[in-house]
Amino acid sequence: MTRFEAATTRERRKLFADAVVAHRNRGSAFLTVEAEYDPEIDGEDAPAPWVQFADRTFNIDVTDEELSKLKEMLSSYPEFRIDQLESPETAEGTNVRITARSDANRLAGFIDTVFQRVYGRDEDYRAWVVAV
């Protein structure tokens, strides 16, 4: 891979699909994508939202409101399913594990949709592949 950031739907989905392919080809431990931090959406003390993918599983941290949006969004991805929800007492929110057996383009579309529908990003948000 030579590009690591993108800001349009087409560019992001291509970037994410390329990252999935690179992750699979390299046999890396995981792939992490992060959206640009927006204090108005994320809050002053919260980190930028991220999505991690490894071994056919997405790993996502969400608030209760975001979890509801994620569950609703998954109806558009019937081949994906929530395998684990973990809400430690010391953490605000829930860690979600989603099994996702699909091709790189479908996985890329899912990542992009999570950032828009779950994390509230506009269509022109900027994202980075921060680990492959």
Side-chain angles (χ1 to χ4, degrees):
M1 287 186 54
T2 56
R3 294 179 308 114
F4 294 96
E5 61 89 19
T8 68
T9 301
R10 184 171 177 228
E11 290 174 348
R12 281 191 312 270
R13 290 184 180 208
K14 172 83 169 103
L15 173 67
F16 300 162
D18 289 347
V20 167
V21 170
H23 160 71
R24 288 176 169 166
N25 289 342
R26 294 176 184 180
S28 64
F30 55 86
L31 155 69
T32 304
V33 180
E34 188 175 293
E36 185 170 26
Y37 173 75
D38 183 337
E40 291 185 26
I41 298 171
D42 303 321
E44 291 296 324
D45 297 329
W50 53 268
V51 174
Q52 195 170 66
F53 180 73
D55 194 32
R56 298 185 188 130
T57 301
F58 283 106
N59 181 27
I60 304 169
D61 284 342
V62 293
T63 64
D64 291 343
E65 181 181 334
E66 291 165 344
L67 179 59
S68 294
K69 292 176 185 177
L70 178 63
K71 287 179 176 179
E72 182 180 314
M73 188 195 104
L74 283 169
S75 65
S76 300
Y77 293 86
E79 71 276 30
F80 295 10
R81 72 170 193 278
I82 294 176
D83 278 338
Q84 183 179 357
L85 297 171
E86 188 175 334
S87 299
E89 290 180 24
T90 58
E92 294 180 24
T94 302
N95 179 261
V96 183
R97 303 280 172 122
I98 300 168
T99 299
R101 291 174 171 78
S102 195
D103 64 78
N105 289 324
R106 183 79 166 151
L107 297 172
F110 178 80
I111 295 168
D112 194 43
T113 303
V114 165
F115 283 122
Q116 290 185 54
R117 288 198 206 165
V118 176
Y119 292 126
R121 293 309 191 262
D122 291 331
E123 203 170 295
D124 63 346
Y125 77 93
R126 182 173 304 277
W128 289 268
V129 174
V130 295
V132 178

